[in-house]
Amino acid sequence: MSQNPMYVPDREPALAEFASVQLQAPLERVDRITGNQPYVSKGPWLSEADAKLLQTAAETGRLGRFGIMGKQTSVQVLADAELLTLKGNLTEGGQAVTSPLIYGHAAIEFNAQHGDRTSAMTVWFDHRDAMLLAGPAHHLLMSDEPLGSMDTTRQLDFMGIGEVYSAIAAWLGVGPAWSIPTDPPTVPMAALQPRLEGPTEPPAGASAALAHMWRQPWFVWQIAGEGGTVAYVNAGEAGHFRTGNMDGQGLLAATSSANVYRHLVDIVDAAVHERHRSID
């Protein structure tokens, strides 16, 4: 009886060179996994006017003749997406998609920045489902490709609560990385603030870990909810760093990807179960 031969790769996996040296072990480069698992949605892209019209229709049940007057472009976009009829009535699908917006009890706003590119995502929750309006995700914001109309529109999606955790993580680019703490975990705000806007030279006297993460492409994101605001720097190969102003100093606290994901889960769970507490 023949057996399939064991597959043996013809080359060693690429190493995370800096992390391997710092941690004194051959560590595989894992940050590229994030790029292979991007945020994916098949939902329609809506302008601000389209989204506002959908919300109005959801709140009122129907728009009527006067409600759609002068808004034919948005009506057509929503009709093409099978969310609204041309007469301004929500379809059955439109009612389902907007149910977390109308009957939910919490919303979380995510804001992201890479250099001069910005994006945002809002997620509304009820106990079972979530409605998302998402601008360009991590992989698009980090790309050199022009954003085109995506720069002024958001993509609508609807999913069960069980799916929303991984969707948010993918939109933010949360994935495996070797996070090495900087020493100390703070820098002058005068140095951090310009770096949040774009590449700068590391601060004078920066440790090897700080200089390494400083030179990575930064995707800066924050969560705003009823419990407060929290921010992270996604420094690519160097992993995630909790950031903010701490007594006049800029915080850069290395945080493992697993703990970032747990933090997201805690925030979503608090929103879903109406636990209004600090998101720290």
Side-chain angles (χ1 to χ4, degrees), residues 140-162:
L140 295 172
L141 225 60
M142 300 296 288
S143 168
D144 292 331
E145 296 297 321
L147 296 176
S149 63
M150 291 184 292
D151 196 30
T152 56
T153 56
R154 291 200 193 185
Q155 194 171 23
L156 178 68
D157 211 336
F158 174 79
M159 62 189 66
I161 292 298

Side-chain angles (χ1 to χ4, degrees), residues 167-221:
I168 293 172
W171 192 86
L172 295 170
V174 178
W178 301 107
S179 299
I180 299 174
T182 62
D183 185 21
T186 57
V187 297
M189 280 301 300
L192 179 59
Q193 191 59 50
R195 180 62 187 89
L196 296 174
E197 304 294 331
T200 63
E201 285 300 308
S207 66
L210 176 60
H212 176 67
M213 69 82 60
W214 200 270
R215 292 191 172 104
Q216 301 303 311
W218 282 18
F219 179 87
V220 185
W221 57 269

Side-chain angles (χ1 to χ4, degrees), residues 8-130:
V8 178
D10 58 3
R11 59 183 177 181
E12 294 290 329
L15 296 182
E17 294 182 6
F18 181 82
S20 296
V21 171
Q22 292 294 305
L23 300 178
Q24 299 181 8
L27 302 174
E28 183 178 355
R29 186 173 179 186
V30 293
D31 58 286
R32 289 179 290 187
I33 294 174
T34 300
N36 295 328
Q37 299 175 343
Y39 176 79
V40 177
S41 171
K42 295 182 179 179
W45 286 88
L46 306 181
S47 69
E48 184 177 355
D50 302 337
K52 284 184 176 179
L53 191 64
L54 178 62
Q55 182 170 352
T56 300
E59 291 171 345
T60 61
R62 63 186 301 273
L63 296 172
R65 183 173 60 182
F66 295 106
I68 63 176
M69 189 176 296
K71 302 180 179 69
Q72 280 75 18
T73 299
S74 291
V75 170
Q76 188 64 58
V77 169
L78 296 174
D80 290 344
E82 301 182 349
L83 299 168
L84 197 71
T85 70
L86 291 175
K87 292 184 177 181
N89 299 320
L90 273 181
T91 64
E92 185 175 337
Q95 292 174 12
V97 167
T98 58
S99 58
L101 172 64
I102 300 305
Y103 303 111
H105 46 258
I108 299 176
E109 179 84 11
F110 298 85
N111 294 288
Q113 179 179 355
H114 172 60
D116 60 358
R117 289 185 165 192
T118 60
S119 189
M121 175 171 66
T122 307
V123 186
W124 291 267
F125 301 93
D126 60 25
H127 290 295
R128 296 185 306 171
D129 301 306

